[in-house]
Amino acid sequence: MSAPVAKFPRWLLRKPDEDAEARVFCLPYSGVGASMFNRWPRWLGGTGRVEVCPVQLPGRENRLREPHFGTYERLADAIVAGLHGYFDRPFVLFGHCAAALPAFETALRLTERGLRPPSALVVSAQAPPHHCPHDRFLELGDDELTAELGAIAVARGGTAHPDLLDLTLRVLHRDLSATRRYHRPVTPVPFPVTVVHWADDPEVDVTLLRDWRAYAEDTRPVQLPGGHYEFLSAPRGLLDLLAARALPVLAKE
């Protein structure tokens, strides 16, 4: 007799480990799904203490048949409702590029509702909400977007298959619609914010990244080596940073 299949929210690719001391919830950026973190380890620092939990958004990959979330505000509401049971221990919310925006909204919802806030919000290569909409992709046509998606597929260790690119482009258009609609005035928050700038990334003006300082008293700028898509390869500097923000004791060991 086979063992019963463990149930877990459709927001995650796998059931979180109950023995994890802390978690890092990673949101995918525009056009793709949680499999973008397929080159990341499950555990950070090799300690078996901080678990990586890629978040799967509706309207893509194994949730392709579900309706698109429409706006980042509605997405944040749905994430809080779907994952609140897993915010029961120290955790970090991580988002690169536009994924930082629903990550911020999710952290804000948790705070506003008196729920456990993140140990830190870690945003990478993204201007803060009061500068939005701000995304290079918003100015690109379909041919240019398809070329970008092909480059991303290769950076993830895959191939730029035309049929897959066409499907991804349709998802990307819906995601970019959410980006165009997103704007929020400066909103001070009580949780720490770490802002990652990639040293060889020409896409984001570092002066805009500095403006995250208006959101949190504890705002920490960090520069890491590499370009805009360097994070896909799970660079050690980023993984160590996330582990230390999720479980600060690791930063002292």
Side-chain angles (χ1 to χ4, degrees), residues 156-180:
R156 294 171 59 189
T159 57
H161 191 282
D163 290 341
L164 182 58
L165 291 180
D166 183 61
L167 177 61
T168 305
L169 181 63
R170 294 199 293 271
V171 176
L172 177 58
H173 276 307
R174 298 185 183 101
D175 289 354
L176 290 179
S177 178
T179 300
R180 287 188 180 92

Side-chain angles (χ1 to χ4, degrees), residues 9-197:
R10 63 184 184 278
W11 291 93
L12 301 174
L13 295 182
R14 56 180 176 247
K15 182 177 174 59
D17 194 315
E18 289 300 321
D19 292 330
E21 293 184 42
R23 295 180 175 128
V24 175
F25 293 95
C26 303
L27 277 65
Y29 55 67
S30 300
V32 297
S35 68
M36 65 175 286
F37 296 103
N38 62 355
R39 299 175 70 182
W40 285 41
R42 178 164 186 171
W43 298 95
L44 298 183
T47 64
R49 297 165 68 180
V50 180
E51 184 179 19
V52 174
C53 297
V55 178
Q56 186 65 291
L57 307 186
R60 66 212 67 219
E61 296 184 343
N62 62 313
R63 301 184 66 183
L64 184 62
R65 295 182 180 276
E66 297 181 36
H68 191 269
F69 50 82
T71 69
Y72 290 139
E73 292 86 351
R74 285 204 293 268
L75 176 58
D77 287 334
I79 290 174
V80 171
L83 291 178
H84 71 276
Y86 295 99
F87 298 139
D88 61 342
R89 64 203 66 196
F91 68 93
V92 162
L93 291 168
F94 170 73
H96 176 82
C97 202
L101 304 176
F104 172 79
E105 287 291 324
T106 299
L108 187 61
R109 294 293 188 285
L110 292 168
T111 300
E112 291 174 339
R113 297 173 187 178
L115 302 173
R116 183 176 196 147
S119 301
L121 169 70
V122 179
V123 298
S124 169
Q126 174 59 48
H130 68 283
H131 284 304
C132 293
H134 184 89
D135 191 317
R136 181 176 63 87
F137 278 17
L138 296 178
E139 308 301 324
L140 302 183
D142 281 0
D143 289 345
E144 294 168 302
L145 288 172
T146 299
E148 290 281 349
L149 293 172
I152 294 170
V154 172
R156 294 171 59 189
T159 57
H161 191 282
D163 290 341
L164 182 58
L165 291 180
D166 183 61
L167 177 61
T168 305
L169 181 63
R170 294 199 293 271
V171 176
L172 177 58
H173 276 307
R174 298 185 183 101
D175 289 354
L176 290 179
S177 178
T179 300
R180 287 188 180 92
R181 299 168 67 179
Y182 184 74
H183 176 84
R184 177 183 285 280
V186 173
T187 307
V189 295
F191 46 81
V193 177
T194 296
V195 184
V196 177
H197 170 62

Side-chain angles (χ1 to χ4, degrees), residues 96-97 124-127 136 196-206 209 223-231:
H96 176 82
C97 202
S124 169
Q126 174 59 48
R136 181 176 63 87
V196 177
H197 170 62
W198 298 91
D200 301 320
D201 182 4
E203 296 192 20
V204 181
D205 186 342
V206 69
L209 296 181
Q223 180 170 286
L224 296 175
H228 191 71
Y229 298 122
E230 181 70 23
F231 80 102

Side-chain angles (χ1 to χ4, degrees), residues 207-228:
T207 60
L208 296 183
L209 296 181
R210 294 192 188 109
D211 285 350
W212 279 101
R213 292 176 297 185
Y215 289 74
E217 290 186 9
D218 185 356
T219 302
R220 308 180 191 183
V222 175
Q223 180 170 286
L224 296 175
H228 191 71

